[in-house]
Structures are given as C-alpha cells and as structure tokens.
Amino acid sequence: MSRIQLFYDVAENMRHLADSIQAMADEMVGNSQEPESAAVAEPESGITLEDVRTVLVQLSHDGYGTQVQALIRHHGATKLSELPSSEYASLLEEAEVMANGS
C-alpha cells in the first residue's frame, strides 16, 4: 500500500471518528435538554429512543458514522433526539440492513 493511500485511509478513519463523536455529542446535548420527552416518547412498538441510540452508536463505532447521520436525515431529523418515535422501527430495520452489509 502506498504512503498516499495510507494518508487517505487515515483521513477517512478520522472522518468516521469525527462523525461518531459528533453523533454522541448531539445525543448528549439532546438528552440534557429534553430528559422528559425521551422517557415519555415510547411508541406503540415498544422501541425507545435509548434502543435506537444504542444501535446507532454501535454502528458509528463500527465505522458507519456518515451513513448513520444520513439515515437519521432520511427519516426527517437532523439529530436522533429530533426523530419522531413513529420512525424508530423503520430506522432500526434500515440500520440492521446496514450492519449486515446487505
């Protein structure tokens, strides 16, 4: 592998890390501003914001930070805490597909 390719790989890894850190920071800020809404907003499916957050943080740690952000935007929010609870189930289904590489 050439040195230039190594630099590209490092830059890409740094982007993923930055995306993961940004997602975690957004969630921490979202949690401190809206603690009651997270507890109250349990949809009929029984999937909570914490369930979704757990899956998405793991995906971010696995190098899918950019895709996780795109997935959240695709479901109508700029950050996870803004996501309507009605979107939790479908977002988790898409996240599972992403995790399985399908």
Side-chain angles (χ1 to χ4, degrees):
M1 183 178 289
S2 72
R3 292 177 96 182
I4 293 174
Q5 185 60 44
L6 286 174
F7 285 128
Y8 282 125
D9 290 345
V10 168
E12 183 66 23
N13 287 335
M14 290 177 73
R15 278 189 211 97
H16 288 300
L17 177 60
D19 289 341
S20 297
I21 292 170
Q22 181 67 48
M24 290 172 47
D26 288 345
E27 292 311 311
M28 292 172 84
V29 169
N31 283 340
S32 66
Q33 291 176 350
E34 305 173 25
E36 298 154 16
S37 66
V40 174
E42 186 169 331
E44 295 174 12
S45 66
I47 300 170
T48 65
L49 179 61
E50 288 303 315
D51 296 333
V52 177
R53 179 177 292 116
T54 300
V55 171
L56 296 185
V57 166
Q58 184 59 49
L59 280 172
S60 291
H61 286 289
D62 292 343
Y64 293 99
T66 304
Q67 294 91 330
V68 165
Q69 287 297 319
L71 190 59
I72 292 170
R73 283 191 300 275
H74 174 74
H75 285 271
T78 57
K79 57 185 181 180
L80 185 57
S81 60
E82 296 174 351
L83 189 72
S85 59
S86 60
E87 295 292 318
Y88 292 172
S90 61
L91 186 139
L92 282 179
E93 288 174 14
E94 291 180 40
E96 184 178 327
V97 169
M98 184 187 309
N100 293 330
S102 300

